[in-house]
Amino acid sequence: MIKIRNYINGKLCEPMSGQYLDNYDPAQGVVYSLIPDSDERDVAAATLAAKNAFHDWSHMKHADRSKILIRISEIIEERLEELAMAESIDNGKPLWLAKSVDIPRARDNFYFFATAAMHFASESHATADNTINYTLRTPIGVAGCISPWNLPLYLFTWKIAPALAAGNCVVAKPSEITPMTAFLLSEICMEAGLPPGVMNIVHGLGPKVGQAISEHPDIPMISFTGGTKTGAQIAATAAPMFKKMSLELGGKNPNIIFADCDFEKMIKTTLNSSFSNQGQICLCGSRIFVERSLYEKFKTRFVSEVQKMKVGDPMNDDSRLGAVVSKPHMEKVLSYIDLAKEEGGTVLTGGHAVNPGGRCESGWFIAPTIIEGLPYKCRTNMEEIFGPVVTIMPFDTEEEVLQYANATEYGLAATLWTENLNRAHRMAAQIKSGIIWINFWLHRDLRTPFGGMKNSGVGREGGWESFRFFTEAKNVCIKY
Ligand code: TXE
């Protein structure tokens, strides 16, 4: 049984409690490893190590810092197969998906921010009356980074890489449901020569370890990705302490399809935007609105394509969907399917658990599910399900579909399918989402601002946004 350990002050170590929690392989429904049941004592030790490492790390030439972070990126590439296997076993996602998306993106996160740090500059403002202002952007100290289970290493590194590249030290907490690749990253950090204490990983439960990070007085900034409810809890703790916060939260994203779209491209992409990663991506388009003249054609084709999607052993290359991440999450998703039926919805396909048999007969699998006939404001269409479940409904006018799309408390992402340029710009300007893809989905340029509005979060990550978050700006004004 693999025993994961914390990574504190450059060493792998046991939790102070000496206690461990079960970690499951969702495809088999069995415990396959143990994670530290850490508490505030482990967070205190990690924070002290980070504080002690901060002076030298923040005073290192940024090109030298970047060299170490680029080395981490290279080792992730060298160990890609091993990391992808670990991610697939831990999360239940298909191995091919971990190999093609999760781990390459973790590698790219380190490379992108390591190289960006060598170009990050700040402004100066001169005026005719012999004054000049210059802005200093300096590292702040210890960054608290807390991440979710859906894209474990991908989102974990999305926070850590810019925090380190900007010259901060880090106390990080991965999800207790998917800790494995973060544990492997500890080994990679040691191999890459990251100085002790610069990066610390404390495993354990959110209310214990995550809460301890949110409330530690020596952690002045928190970067969080996860559920909206949890984000509110973190904010309630950190805001009165005037901590900087970047909160990437939930989503309930519209996928708006006009009759003039490129139908084949739209269908192919919509299968992914609906069910990729078992629908466990906060950017998935779970509410599908189709212009009425196209609705029946779309419905028939979409249902038939979804019925061809294989739900199976994540290790098999032909499995389009693997297991959902945990038993409680499977039960939550299935409960929403029951709710949809109570609210008057009709299940066109799916709507049930799947038993792939063999080694996965006790795993947690759900069939990709399409539901129609629901009102746009019912709970099923307002609340985040975060599983392989989408609803579909027709619309007649732009005004009508904008009302539907903007009706939720969320505002993270949206997709829009139309070949009409004017309509594309007109709609994009009115959809209340932080990210809008037109005739595509999940194309990610790491330089762009990433994040949501309303209850989807506060702040933006990506490109210079990340560096601005992880540095303190100081304006110096000189009269000469
Ligand atoms: O979140 P949780 P989950 C959203 C996604 C869904 C959720 C899924 O839409 O709603 O996140 O991830 C720790 N104090 N996004 O269920 O439970 C917990 O241990 C401090 C949006 O994991 O919020 C874990 O490490 N920390 C996103 C982390 O918070 C606490 C992309 C997330 O757990 C805590 C991905 C507490 N009180 C998922 N309680 C986006 N917008 O990009 C728990 N945690």
Side-chain angles (χ1 to χ4, degrees), residues 147 149-150 173 176 206 210 224-227 230 233 249 282 384 386:
S147 56
W149 48 255
N150 59 322
K173 183 209 166 305
E176 58 275 30
F224 169 74
T225 296
T230 309
Q233 166 68 39
L249 308 177
C282 56
E384 184 181 50
F386 214 56

Side-chain angles (χ1 to χ4, degrees), residues 18-281:
Q19 302 301 310
Y20 285 83
L21 303 162
D22 290 341
N23 183 39
Y24 285 85
D25 165 354
Q28 300 190 80
V30 295
V31 176
Y32 86 103
S33 57
L34 296 172
I35 90 162
D37 184 8
S38 307
D39 57 37
E40 70 285 349
R41 293 170 294 174
D42 305 287
V43 170
T47 307
L48 184 63
K51 271 180 74 178
N52 291 340
F54 177 64
H55 177 273
D56 292 353
W57 181 250
S58 59
H59 285 78
M60 191 186 273
K61 284 215 300 292
H62 44 250
D64 293 340
R65 275 201 299 266
S66 294
K67 270 200 202 93
I68 297 172
L69 300 180
I70 288 170
R71 184 68 196 118
I72 291 175
S73 170
E74 289 167 348
I75 301 172
I76 290 175
E77 172 63 24
E78 289 160 15
R79 294 177 62 172
L80 192 144
E81 299 286 328
E82 174 200 359
L83 288 162
M85 179 62 79
E87 200 74 293
S88 175
I89 292 170
D90 217 16
N91 171 277
K93 67 179 70 199
L95 177 58
W96 60 262
L97 183 64
K99 270 188 200 164
S100 58
V101 173
D102 294 69
I103 308 308
R105 175 61 190 277
R107 169 203 63 205
D108 296 347
N109 286 342
F110 268 102
Y111 188 77
F112 175 82
F113 287 109
T115 49
M118 292 189 270
H119 305 275
F120 183 51
S122 59
E123 315 77 25
S124 70
H125 303 79
T127 49
D129 60 350
N130 293 358
T131 55
I132 183 167
N133 295 273
Y134 63 90
T135 303
L136 293 172
R137 289 189 185 276
T138 50
I140 300 173
V142 181
C145 298
I146 303 172
S147 56
W149 48 255
N150 59 322
L151 300 162
L153 196 61
Y154 172 133
L155 288 171
F156 193 58
T157 55
W158 179 236
K159 300 170 179 309
I160 289 163
L164 295 174
N168 301 288
C169 292
V170 168
V171 175
K173 183 209 166 305
S175 172
E176 58 275 30
I177 303 171
T178 51
M180 192 54 75
T181 45
F183 173 54
L184 296 176
L185 183 66
S186 313
E187 297 172 345
I188 291 172
C189 289
M190 290 188 278
E191 188 184 336
L194 199 64
V198 169
M199 158 81 156
N200 304 275
I201 300 176
V202 183
H203 294 275
L205 300 172
K208 265 163 84 171
V209 175
Q211 180 66 23
I213 291 171
S214 305
E215 64 192 22
H216 197 296
D218 294 335
I219 299 179
M221 55 193 142
I222 305 284
S223 175
F224 169 74
T225 296
T228 293
K229 205 161 73 48
T230 309
Q233 166 68 39
I234 290 171
T237 304
M241 300 173 78
F242 302 106
K243 295 192 176 191
K244 277 184 101 170
M245 275 180 280
S246 167
L247 304 173
E248 296 294 336
L249 308 177
K252 186 74 179 184
N253 310 309
N255 177 4
I256 302 167
I257 301 167
F258 283 93
D260 72 337
C261 69
D262 173 334
F263 189 83
E264 290 306 319
K265 190 174 170 208
M266 176 278 293
I267 277 285
K268 185 165 170 286
T269 308
T270 295
L271 291 171
N272 285 328
S273 62
S274 300
F275 301 113
S276 187
N277 200 44
Q278 301 69 247
Q280 297 165 147
I281 300 177

Side-chain angles (χ1 to χ4, degrees), residues 159-454:
K159 300 170 179 309
I160 289 163
L164 295 174
N168 301 288
C169 292
V170 168
V171 175
K173 183 209 166 305
S175 172
E176 58 275 30
I177 303 171
T178 51
M180 192 54 75
T181 45
F183 173 54
L184 296 176
L185 183 66
S186 313
E187 297 172 345
I188 291 172
C189 289
M190 290 188 278
E191 188 184 336
L194 199 64
V198 169
M199 158 81 156
N200 304 275
I201 300 176
V202 183
H203 294 275
L205 300 172
K208 265 163 84 171
V209 175
Q211 180 66 23
I213 291 171
S214 305
E215 64 192 22
H216 197 296
D218 294 335
I219 299 179
M221 55 193 142
I222 305 284
S223 175
F224 169 74
T225 296
T228 293
K229 205 161 73 48
T230 309
Q233 166 68 39
I234 290 171
T237 304
M241 300 173 78
F242 302 106
K243 295 192 176 191
K244 277 184 101 170
M245 275 180 280
S246 167
L247 304 173
E248 296 294 336
L249 308 177
K252 186 74 179 184
N253 310 309
N255 177 4
I256 302 167
I257 301 167
F258 283 93
D260 72 337
C261 69
D262 173 334
F263 189 83
E264 290 306 319
K265 190 174 170 208
M266 176 278 293
I267 277 285
K268 185 165 170 286
T269 308
T270 295
L271 291 171
N272 285 328
S273 62
S274 300
F275 301 113
S276 187
N277 200 44
Q278 301 69 247
Q280 297 165 147
I281 300 177
C282 56
L283 301 168
C284 280
S286 52
R287 294 182 294 143
I288 302 174
F289 303 105
V290 185
E291 192 168 13
R292 194 172 300 278
S293 57
L294 187 68
Y295 185 76
E296 286 306 323
K297 178 183 173 190
F298 169 81
K299 174 171 126 179
T300 310
R301 178 72 183 281
F302 188 46
V303 168
S304 91
E305 293 296 337
V306 170
Q307 285 171 340
K308 296 176 203 160
M309 294 178 100
K310 187 162 178 288
V311 180
D313 189 333
M315 296 301 144
N316 297 345
D317 285 346
D318 64 347
S319 296
R320 275 298 286 275
L321 282 80
V324 293
V325 76
S326 72
K327 194 160 186 344
H329 190 61
M330 181 170 89
E331 285 158 1
K332 171 188 163 187
V333 174
L334 292 174
S335 75
Y336 269 102
I337 294 169
D338 292 342
L339 171 69
K341 291 178 201 164
E342 286 158 26
E343 293 188 312
T346 305
V347 176
L348 300 177
T349 183
H352 52 80
V354 169
N355 177 351
R359 76 181 195 108
C360 295
E361 63 176 359
S362 308
W364 306 313
F365 297 81
I366 298 177
T369 300
I370 305 172
I371 299 166
E372 78 163 351
L374 286 167
Y376 79 94
K377 282 209 90 156
C378 67
R379 281 187 55 206
T380 307
N381 273 329
M382 291 290 114
E383 297 175 15
E384 184 181 50
I385 299 171
F386 214 56
V389 180
V390 298
T391 60
I392 65 172
M393 64 187 288
F395 69 88
D396 293 300
T397 67
E398 289 184 16
E399 294 68 27
E400 181 191 0
V401 74
L402 276 168
Q403 184 193 0
Y404 297 164
N406 291 332
T408 72
E409 65 181 36
Y410 296 105
L412 182 56
T415 35
L416 175 64
W417 291 92
T418 179
E419 295 295 311
N420 178 326
L421 207 53
N422 291 333
R423 171 150 63 200
H425 290 297
R426 190 167 55 240
M427 293 290 288
Q430 299 173 82
I431 295 171
K432 293 190 171 60
S433 298
I435 304 143
I436 299 173
W437 283 288
I438 298 174
N439 299 335
F440 211 1
W441 178 69
L442 207 60
H443 177 270
R444 289 282 295 116
D445 180 329
L446 305 190
R447 296 171 296 178
T448 55
F450 178 92
M453 54 181 81
K454 303 194 312 189

